[in-house]
Amino acid sequence: MGESDKKGNAAPPASGLSKGLTSYGDAGFSLFLRKAFIKGAGYTDDALSRPVIGIAATGSGFNPCHGNAPQLLEAVRRGVMLSGGLPVEFPTISIHESFAHPTSMFLRNLMSMDTEEMIRAQPMDAVVLVGGCDKTVPAQLMGAASANVPAVQLVTGSMLTGSHDGTRVGACTDCRRYWGRYRAEEIDADEIGRVNDQLVASVGTCSVMGTASTMACVAEALGMALPGSASPPAVTADRIRVAERSGATAVALAKAKLAPDRIITAKSVENALRVLLAIGGSTNGIVHLTAIAGRLGIPVDLARLDELGRETPVLVDLKPSGQWYMEDFHHAGGVPALLRELKPLLHLDAMTVTGRTLGEEIEASGAGFPQEVIRPLAKPIFAQGGIAVLRGNLAPGGAIIKQSAADARLMRHEGRAVVFENAADLAERLDRDDLDVTADDILVLKNIGPKGAPGMPEAGYLPIPRKLARAGVKDMVRISDGRMSGTAAGTIVLHVTPEAALGGPLAYVRTGDRIRLDVANRSLLLLVDDAELRRRREARPVTPPTAERGYLKLFLDTVTQADQGVDFDFLRLPRK
Ligand code: FES
């Protein structure tokens, strides 16, 4: 607190309950009052003298991905108390993918601000961040990075897989696969109803390498979560033990004053990017990691990401790029087993929440055992990283494609654009029998970027037009300024920057234009000359969307593009 005693000696920084006193003009009275209130809940002076460990609780009836929160919180409390700390829970916003309108991404920054301000406002020496569903972990890490109070991330863990007529299924790659079959009229309403019962077999996060699993692995690789903590499924004893250990770790972090700015560094961010690429992780992970790093002024450069992608193979054989599920990844050794393989590519001196370096943790994780889910570096599933960065006149600020989940035949493809102006236009026309479209065409969807939708929804996974789906077409090149669920697969170009709603070149594409995609050469070209594009722009200039009031106004006025993490501009720190 920067206070000094009567002799002018600087007082030690406040900790525990003395931290961040409410302003009544008399510090002694403020602490007296705070203690009086908390004693109303039955605490003793002994309890109140301990390091205070906040637990950011995000359980919600609208968030089944966090359905194990009560057990996790109990275990975290136990871990804190066994280590001599005082656990204090506090709520923040909780966001579930399927229960947030218009899209969960619209609310991620709000959750990050809630998390940051509650960590800063309340007296805690360290915090355990309990989250799991896609946007919650990035929001918590963004908030914790900005608050810069010692923090450990605890993910809720993945759901179990179910079984449909003897076939193993899990959310949500199989959700999309079966829905695609239903749209193509390969299965009937009765069967799709029975599949619906099986896709989410327990509480927890999606069971494939979607965004939640990706962010769990990213948090661990970043050093912000305990080694081995990303993969235990939500309902297992391993998950509960991780929770207890996370509580104990928070006490140690509080004593060591090991804050996020010493853990989230340029090196640890690069380690996390390597892991993201090697797991065939979600494209959303790039946006989230960019936002987390941006809170500490660490740039995530798309050119560097592409370099890393060219030299980091995909080693983890999980859906949607591969065949297995998160519980298999856990049984195969999880992130520590992957890090062991990636060791020659990693910055081993990066610090972690354990107080040890990543290299020390890899050494401590042992030699591993034979398994089929995590491949050795010399025998990858895909020689390059899962994500490639594209450039060209259609995306001057870049675009990305998840090449590990795309159709190899379409990685070099030229076709006629079939354009949809926005999500409503897509919904209105996509399934009409008179839609002029063939399997060789390229579907283009505009206005689903950060400002356009708003919130950059996961609508970049355009369905195959019904008449083509019925004819057996499984994949087509699709391009948008939106995002795609990490559980989805296909030859899908995303995050086109600048977005259409800001007047990026995407805004001026017309049906009938030719587009050329060449993933090997990292290019995305609109084959229309500059003079014609200029004429189109002058004839119909784009006016970016605005709002009169509320969070929507804050969002539209300050949200950045995909290459800046879709964070609010005033929350990012200047580049280091
Ligand atoms: Fe929560 Fe997939 S919906 S992790």
Side-chain angles (χ1 to χ4, degrees), residues 7 11 16 24 58 63 122 130 141 179 207 389 430 439 505 533 559 571:
K7 291 181 187 155
Y24 293 116
T58 54
N63 197 341
Q122 300 171 134
V130 186
L141 288 174
W179 190 251
S207 54
V389 178
L430 185 75
L533 277 179
V559 75
L571 294 173

Side-chain angles (χ1 to χ4, degrees), residues 63-66 95-99 132-136 156-159 171-172 176 200 204-208 210-213 458 485 487:
N63 197 341
C65 296
H66 296 191
I95 309 168
H96 184 276
E97 285 304 293
S98 299
F99 291 88
C133 196
D134 293 14
K135 305 305 175 294
T136 62
T156 55
S158 62
M159 60 183 72
C172 237
R176 293 169 207 286
V200 179
T205 53
C206 287
S207 54
V208 296
T211 305
S213 303
E458 291 182 342
S485 164
T487 62

Side-chain angles (χ1 to χ4, degrees), residues 16 48 62 90 138 164 171 191-192 208 231 239 244 259 283 286 315-316 372 376 388 398 435 448 505:
L48 297 176
F62 288 110
F90 64 98
H164 171 64
E191 182 165 358
I192 197 71
V208 296
S231 59
R239 171 57 55 204
E244 184 185 306
T283 47
I286 302 290
L315 298 182
V316 175
E372 296 179 337
L435 181 70
I448 59 164

